[in-house]
Amino acid sequence: MLNYEELFGSIPVAPLKLVVMESAKQLGNKVDHYLAGFRKRSEHPAKYDHAFNGYTEPTYLLESSCYRFDNGEGKAIVTDSVRGKDLFILVDVCNHSITYQMNGYENFKSPDDHYQDLKRVIGAVNGKAHRVNVIMPYLYEGRQHRRTGRESLFCAYMIQELNEMGVKNFITFDAHDPRVQNSIPICGFDSFTPPYQFISALIRTENDLIVDKEHLLVISPDEGAMDRAVYFADVLDVNVGMFYKRRDYTQMVGGKNPIVAHEFLGDNVDGKDVIIIDDMISSGGSMIDTARILKNKNAKRVYLCSTFGLFTDGLELFDEAYEKCYFDKIITTNLTYQNPGLKSRPYYVEADMSKFLASIIDFMNHDSSMKNVLTPTDKIHAILRKYNAREDFSVEHVI
């Protein structure tokens, strides 16, 4: 639980308003619900001070729309006033379900389209807001995080471009490489991680999990995910392992070198529960391969934890792997668009991030310290103590 007493020593930067792009409507509505509830129950002095009119509202959403002309060009309209507001714009660049008409054809919006719509909304604000903050859970172009040849590095340029448009704070989750913030060293950039939400979702699903070195192991599916796996393992006080992807560097397929084999480096997994943690599940082939290898090594249960569940090749691959008992549960967040059939799968568990995101917005609006948000170690230890003692705890107390 975040320490909301810290907010009593600070005042809001400006009246809070939230613009939710069409791509993030479902998540944005839940965030707005929690924000309204936080401030309705709050006893912050600003709630009773006329100088902070609008501190408590039934909703903080601003009306906005992005339209398309017949030739595919677009424009954004923000209906409500933004003058003097602390504006947070929420966008999901991974939502592939939204369509528009161009020259009589139906087109599905790509991450490029969502990014352009975001810039249109910022342009519609026209510099009148007191402060503009962008919340982009999945970092646009973040997968291309380093240059090994004549390759683009558009993620860094994207952040610079938004900064030049007047964006003061950039909020994302589990950035593939957080060092991208070096492109804007004097602009606010925060990359949050969901380990607390992962473990709380997992222990609500499994009532017989034993969290110690003899029964549980945290695995990184590749070298890039090692940092988050090490942190997760350290907090849980268990051992960590890693898979090494052996690639064929003589050819390029789909913009990357194909994987030849997955080599495991780590402790014996015989009879142990295993958590595989990564920032995203794209097609899912690599994640399923690692799970299969672990089950062949006689792992007891395998849990796949990923911040972003993209499932770009559909769910059939995971259905088949689940039937073959390669894994037991998949845990992903609701920070990006979710396949409509995903929640009906018996193996899926959602880590709800809406309350956590609402807390981030509330603290940032007060310009208050984010230490409780950035370091969830104590909260993870607290929830594990309750779980190990088999105490009852309500999901409503989880942020």
Side-chain angles (χ1 to χ4, degrees):
M1 186 70 179
L2 295 182
N3 183 11
Y4 275 91
E5 293 180 359
E6 291 189 9
L7 296 185
F8 285 72
S10 57
I11 61 175
V13 173
L16 171 63
K17 288 297 178 182
L18 182 64
V19 172
V20 176
M21 307 286 287
E22 185 182 6
S23 58
K25 284 294 184 185
Q26 187 172 4
L27 175 63
N29 288 335
K30 294 182 72 173
V31 169
D32 178 60
H33 170 75
Y34 279 118
L35 277 171
F38 289 161
R39 296 199 170 182
K40 182 178 180 180
R41 296 187 296 270
S42 171
E43 293 300 322
H44 194 284
K47 183 177 180 179
Y48 308 102
D49 191 336
H50 291 294
F52 299 98
N53 185 38
Y55 183 80
T56 305
E57 296 282 357
T59 180
Y60 295 93
L61 294 176
L62 280 181
E63 289 294 329
S64 66
S65 301
C66 287
Y67 297 95
R68 293 276 174 166
F69 296 105
D70 293 338
N71 67 342
E73 291 181 309
K75 72 171 181 178
I77 298 176
V78 178
T79 307
D80 298 325
S81 173
V82 298
R83 191 178 296 276
K85 302 297 191 294
D86 190 18
L87 195 64
F88 290 81
I89 306 175
L90 175 61
V91 59
D92 174 17
V93 299
C94 290
N95 191 333
H96 59 270
S97 68
I98 301 175
T99 63
Y100 65 93
Q101 296 292 321
M102 187 176 80
N103 296 321
Y105 294 95
E106 184 179 47
N107 292 268
F108 286 85
K109 286 189 176 181
S110 69
D112 296 337
D113 292 313
H114 290 302
Y115 175 56
Q116 295 300 324
D117 283 344
L118 170 64
K119 291 196 295 182
R120 292 182 178 107
V121 169
I122 296 173
V125 171
N126 200 23
K128 299 299 189 294
H130 177 80
R131 186 174 67 174
V132 177
N133 314 273
V134 166
I135 306 171
M136 187 183 290
Y138 180 90
L139 190 60
Y140 173 65
E141 295 282 0
R143 294 180 71 174
Q144 179 59 27
H145 63 287
R146 65 175 179 267
R147 178 178 285 160
T148 58
R150 286 183 292 275
E151 300 173 333
S152 62
L153 284 176
F154 196 76
C155 183
Y157 175 76
M158 176 270 297
I159 298 174
Q160 289 179 341
E161 186 177 29
L162 294 183
N163 183 225
E164 291 170 358
M165 292 185 71
V167 174
K168 299 301 182 185
N169 290 300
F170 200 91
I171 302 164
T172 189
F173 286 82
D174 217 341
H176 198 68
D177 190 341
R179 289 175 297 181
V180 70
Q181 66 186 289
N182 293 338
S183 62
I184 48 167
I186 59 174
C187 178
F189 183 98
D190 291 290
S191 177
F192 298 96
T193 56
Y196 179 59
Q197 284 73 19
F198 281 157
I199 193 62
S200 61
L202 180 58
I203 63 180
R204 280 173 172 78
T205 302
E206 304 290 352
N207 58 13
D208 61 344
L209 199 66
I210 302 176
V211 185
D212 61 27
K213 292 180 180 180
E214 286 71 35
H215 299 88
L216 184 65
L217 188 67
V218 176
I219 299 292
S220 169
D222 54 36
E223 312 93 288
M226 197 61 189
D227 286 348
R228 57 180 67 88
V230 168
Y231 170 76
F232 204 35
D234 285 346
V235 172
L236 300 181
D237 194 24
V238 299
N239 292 326
V240 65
M242 184 190 80
F243 274 89
Y244 164 65
K245 292 180 179 178
R246 192 149 49 86
R247 295 180 180 272
D248 181 2
Y249 288 98
T250 63
Q251 57 178 316
M252 187 78 72
V253 178
K256 56 186 178 181
N257 302 108
I259 298 171
V260 177
H262 292 87
E263 305 289 349
F264 178 62
L265 306 173
D267 281 351
N268 182 17
V269 301
D270 188 5
K272 293 183 179 180
D273 293 324
V274 177
I275 299 174
I276 305 176
I277 187 167
D278 204 357
D279 59 337
M280 75 175 74
I281 296 175
S282 185
S283 64
S286 294
M287 194 72 99
I288 290 176
D289 282 345
T290 56
R292 175 181 54 80
I293 294 171
L294 290 169
K295 276 298 180 84
N296 289 340
K297 291 179 178 293
N298 203 30
K300 181 181 177 182
R301 289 175 293 192
V302 175
Y303 304 104
L304 311 181
C305 293
S306 178
T307 306
F308 306 109
L310 305 182
F311 305 103
T312 56
D313 286 349
L315 298 174
E316 291 75 15
L317 183 66
F318 290 88
D319 294 339
E320 182 181 351
Y322 180 69
E323 290 176 1
K324 293 180 178 179
C325 298
Y326 290 165
F327 68 90
D328 294 84
K329 296 291 182 182
I330 294 178
I331 303 173
T332 69
T333 72
N334 59 339
L335 290 171
T336 54
Y337 173 76
Q338 295 171 299
N339 188 304
L342 183 61
K343 292 186 179 181
S344 65
R345 295 312 201 264
Y347 52 77
Y348 180 69
V349 179
E350 179 187 282
D352 186 8
M353 300 293 289
S354 55
K355 193 173 184 180
F356 181 49
L357 183 52
S359 302
I360 293 171
I361 294 172
D362 205 13
F363 271 69
M364 291 195 74
N365 178 242
H366 287 82
D367 259 358
S368 186
S369 172
M370 305 294 286
K371 63 181 180 181
N372 284 334
V373 179
L374 291 170
T375 54
T377 305
D378 291 340
K379 296 190 289 293
I380 294 175
H381 286 164
I383 198 172
L384 283 176
R385 281 195 298 271
K386 290 186 176 182
Y387 177 75
N388 290 333
R390 296 306 189 260
E391 296 179 13
D392 184 33
F393 50 94
S394 171
V395 71
E396 288 301 314
H397 292 90
V398 176
I399 294 181

